[in-house]
Amino acid sequence: MFFGMPEDHLQVLVSAKAIIWNGGRVLLARNSRFEWDLPGGKVKLGETIESALQRELKEELAVELVSQELISASMHHFYSTILVLIYGCVVTNLENIQISEEHSEVKWFESDKLPIADIPLPYIEPLKFWSNNVKT
């Protein structure tokens, strides 16, 4: 049982991802599948989505989350039991980004030079939306 629900109910994990935009560029991180990924990760049991996003950004990049705005929610493109929430984020400490062991590199991309072929498909539309609507 999970929170009093029968075992035959679908259990969904939640992953919170961040679109970090600065000066017309977006920050992407290369993952172990050689994709350019959005920073972020799974929400732990008992953790709020916002605190999970803050924790993940601190662990992966050593940046501090200032604010976030939900821009997309969809099921994971490979795993149908993971709900992916994509947030447009404002962060601080961008000048001191540190890469965690989860990624081989991070890179800033201009909005018109995104490596579309190497970004998971469900991230493309939220990236385009945020690039057209972000104010930083």
Side-chain angles (χ1 to χ4, degrees):
M1 287 220 179
F2 184 73
F3 293 113
M5 293 174 50
E7 291 182 19
D8 63 343
H9 279 63
L10 177 64
Q11 294 180 20
V12 176
L13 298 173
V14 177
S15 178
K17 296 289 190 169
I19 295 177
I20 299 171
W21 207 266
N22 187 39
R25 301 177 304 159
V26 66
L27 185 67
L28 298 176
R30 185 160 316 263
N31 64 25
S32 61
R33 295 179 304 276
F34 303 103
E35 298 171 314
W36 285 106
D37 198 2
L38 296 172
K42 291 185 182 72
V43 178
K44 294 179 180 178
L45 188 61
E47 191 174 40
T48 67
I49 295 167
E50 291 77 15
S51 64
L53 190 57
Q54 177 137 11
R55 175 186 48 76
E56 288 285 345
L57 293 177
K58 191 169 189 106
E59 289 174 2
E60 293 181 11
L61 303 171
V63 297
E64 293 289 333
L65 181 64
V66 174
S67 65
Q68 72 280 335
E69 178 182 338
L70 180 64
I71 57 175
S72 174
S74 63
M75 297 311 288
H76 192 277
H77 53 293
F78 290 128
Y79 306 104
S80 62
T81 57
I82 300 176
L83 174 65
V84 180
L85 304 175
I86 299 176
Y87 289 84
C89 296
V90 175
V91 300
T92 61
N93 204 31
L94 287 173
E95 63 281 353
N96 296 314
I97 289 176
Q98 298 172 15
I99 305 170
S100 74
E101 293 179 4
E102 290 183 50
H103 300 104
S104 58
E105 65 179 310
V106 295
K107 186 174 178 181
W108 290 100
F109 289 94
E110 303 284 333
S111 62
D112 60 346
K113 295 180 181 163
L114 291 172
I116 301 295
D118 296 325
I119 298 173
L121 187 60
Y123 300 169
I124 303 298
E125 287 305 315
L127 279 164
K128 288 179 181 178
F129 172 81
W130 196 245
S131 71
N132 291 327
N133 292 287
V134 72
K135 303 294 186 255
T136 61

